[in-house]
Amino acid sequence: MYPAVAGDRLVPLVVGVGIAAWLLLALGLIRWPPLLGWGLAAFGAEYAIFLRLRGGSVDSRVPAVAAVLLVVAELAFLSAGGGLEGADRALLARVVGALAAAVAAVALLADLLLVASGSANGSLSVEAGGVLAAVLAVAFVIRVASRSRESTST
Amino acid sequence: MTRTISPKLVAYVCLAGVGFVAALALRLEELVVLAAPFALLPAVSLLLARTPRIDVTVHPERERALEGEELDAQVALNAEQGTARLEVLLELPRGIGVASGDNPAAISIGDDDRRELKLRLHCERWGGYQVGRVFLRARDHFGFVGWEWEVDRRAPLKVYPREELVRDLLRPLETQVFSGNHVARQRGEGIEFADLRLFVPGDRVRYVNWRASARRGELWVNQQHAERNADVLLFMDTFTEASRDGRSTLDLALRAAASLTARYLQQKDRVGFVTFGGMLNWLLPATGVVQLYRLVDALIDTQIVLNYAWRDIDVLPRRTLPPKAMVIALTPLLDDRAVGALLDLRARGFDLVVVEISPQPFMPPPSGQISTVARRLWELRRDALRGRFQEAGVPLALWNDERGLAEGLEEVTTFRRRARVVAG
């Protein structure tokens, strides 16, 4: 949706790729789950065409786009895998929590990557997010390392 | 335990790869940002994934139930090492349904955690079942890796058929030597008056008929009919059945057999059964509560076994039939081998009663002219078959949805009464 609305060149092409992406996603959800990956790739392609046609500086909305794409992917694969039928409240809360954490992590990661690549255009909020993401990434690496150490000792 | 990689992992890795290559080719750093989560999420998930260690026990509320009853079953899960998402499926055999509760259920279970899943089971059909095999599927946080395994904690669950209303039981033509509730033809100790005879030394004074003695001027004594028990053999035709919407002629036969067994055993009769079909199975007559349980347990294991090897069998082995037994055959009269065996029993002098469990309610209505004619011909052939039984002196009771079992048995009693009058 976003590339189709924000673009100003070759809009029909972008819109066409977007519609194809939606169709593939719908077909994947309704009948052929292997098409889900193709649908997501088509969304990526739509965004790539938009970026290529747009030119100029780095798109500052890329963290949001990445987060939304991840949410779409997660929900689509969850639905294709049978959804949460028969799930208790604890599991529902856990799934929602994990998804929210993943989305937040993606947004922070995107910030981190933008800052690291020097494309943040000096925006204070983006730079702060990048620093926070770096701290969280280090904390996560430490946690994983300690966990794998525990499992090897047992 | 089987470890599986989900298609989602493949899709994510491919998306990440394509995204990175496209970013390099098109020189778009935004695509790196877009593709990075699809690479990092599986990597993180695989790093955190641990093989679950979960112990499962299944506790059905009880081992026995009646058809149509409900009972609780509890699946207890003890996790030494938990998992983010666990799907639990309790395998239920056909005939046992879920009245309430989720099956399969999806839960989250942590380390050193204990969860209990409660299911309310509905016993839809009689039978001997094994309940307790559980299929489990664990997944990591984002569903990239899965573990599948099954736990077998099966315990027997016996579902007994509902009882059918039976007012009066069929009286056997011949009785046995042990005391019981049937008035025998033989004379002996009993209540029912049979005849008078002259007094002989050794007769007890209480049997002297003083009125007859005074009239004839010599001592006459009363004679009574002895009260004896009988041997009842239930013959189940298991060659074939007609079924529709989860009901079958075998269901009705079994319900009738269970009801008759209980009633005859209450009367101190000896009851046995023989299932004659793809497999021959029998239980010799005996009496008592133990025999009731033995019979009903054996009955609920009855099933239709197709056997094309026994094409010519139409004779029951002699060992399975005690002499002078009343044989009550519960049959849909659909297989010639069963019909042949029943006529052979009659020819061997057994007191045979046929309860025909009509297959007609289980058949779809005929559609079209040819189908209607074919159905009519089939009905005429069945009428002819019934005629063969009646010619052989075998009472035949028809039991279907419109006529209860009690009504059918009453018809047999009437047939016997009429037959006796004609013979006399």
Side-chain angles (χ1 to χ4, degrees), chain A residues 37 40-41 44 47-48 51-52 54 57-59 62-63 65-66 69-70 73-74 77-78 81 83-88 90-91 94 98-99 102 106 109-110 113-114 117 119 140 143-144 147, chain B residues 7-8 11-12 15 18 22 25-34 36-38 40-41 44 47-48 50 83-87 102 104-111 115 137 139 141-142 144:
Chain A
L40 294 168
Y47 188 56
L51 291 174
R52 194 72 185 153
R54 175 177 166 269
S57 61
V58 171
D59 184 13
V62 67
V65 174
L69 191 63
L70 185 74
E74 279 297 312
F77 278 104
L78 186 67
L84 289 168
E85 196 183 347
D88 63 350
L91 179 60
R94 198 158 183 163
L99 189 58
V106 164
L109 176 78
L113 288 175
L114 287 181
S117 66
S119 312
F140 175 75
R143 186 190 153 105
V144 170
R147 199 162 181 163
Chain B
K8 182 181 168 184
Y12 271 44
L15 281 171
V18 169
L26 301 172
R27 294 166 190 261
L28 290 171
E29 29 196 13
E30 290 96 332
L31 290 187
V32 176
V33 176
L34 211 63
F38 292 96
L40 285 174
L41 206 62
V44 170
L47 272 172
L48 295 176
R50 295 173 310 161
T83 179
R85 182 174 174 182
L86 180 68
E87 291 166 24
D102 291 318
I107 58 163
S108 173
I109 188 165
D111 291 351
R115 298 291 302 271
R137 185 194 289 151
R139 288 181 185 171
H141 284 279
F142 292 98
F144 291 110

Side-chain angles (χ1 to χ4, degrees), chain A residues 65-141:
Chain A
V65 174
V68 170
L69 191 63
L70 185 74
V71 170
V72 170
E74 279 297 312
L75 292 180
F77 278 104
L78 186 67
S79 176
L84 289 168
E85 196 183 347
D88 63 350
R89 282 186 182 180
L91 179 60
L92 277 171
R94 198 158 183 163
V95 168
V96 172
L99 189 58
V103 168
V106 164
L108 287 174
L109 176 78
D111 269 352
L112 176 66
L113 288 175
L114 287 181
V115 169
S117 66
S119 312
N121 294 333
S123 164
L124 184 64
S125 60
V126 173
E127 299 230 0
V131 171
L132 179 63
V135 171
L136 286 175
V138 171
F140 175 75
V141 170

Side-chain angles (χ1 to χ4, degrees), chain B residues 75-105:
Chain B
V75 181
L77 303 152
N78 280 304
E80 189 183 328
Q81 195 153 281
T83 179
R85 182 174 174 182
L86 180 68
E87 291 166 24
V88 186
L89 171 71
L90 176 65
E91 186 191 44
L92 293 174
R94 277 182 66 185
I96 304 286
V98 178
S100 64
D102 291 318
N103 193 37

Side-chain angles (χ1 to χ4, degrees), chain B residues 36 66 93 98 144 174 219 257-258 262 269 284 289 330 342 348 399:
Chain B
L66 274 177
V98 178
F144 291 110
E174 299 280 350
L219 282 175
D269 291 324
L284 290 175
V289 179
L330 300 158
L342 289 173
R348 282 153 71 180
W399 179 23

Side-chain angles (χ1 to χ4, degrees), chain B residues 49-128:
Chain B
R50 295 173 310 161
T51 307
R53 283 202 294 271
I54 298 168
D55 185 37
V56 183
T57 49
V58 181
H59 306 285
E61 187 187 347
R62 53 184 191 270
E63 284 184 5
R64 293 182 170 87
L66 274 177
E67 199 177 9
E69 269 189 349
E70 290 184 357
L71 64 126
D72 288 324
Q74 200 177 55
V75 181
L77 303 152
N78 280 304
E80 189 183 328
Q81 195 153 281
T83 179
R85 182 174 174 182
L86 180 68
E87 291 166 24
V88 186
L89 171 71
L90 176 65
E91 186 191 44
L92 293 174
R94 277 182 66 185
I96 304 286
V98 178
S100 64
D102 291 318
N103 193 37
I107 58 163
S108 173
I109 188 165
D111 291 351
D112 299 320
D113 196 2
R114 179 183 166 83
R115 298 291 302 271
E116 283 177 356
L117 305 175
K118 284 182 181 167
L119 284 174
R120 188 125 184 101
L121 303 180
H122 182 239
C123 304
E124 292 161 356
R125 192 175 188 261
W126 57 270

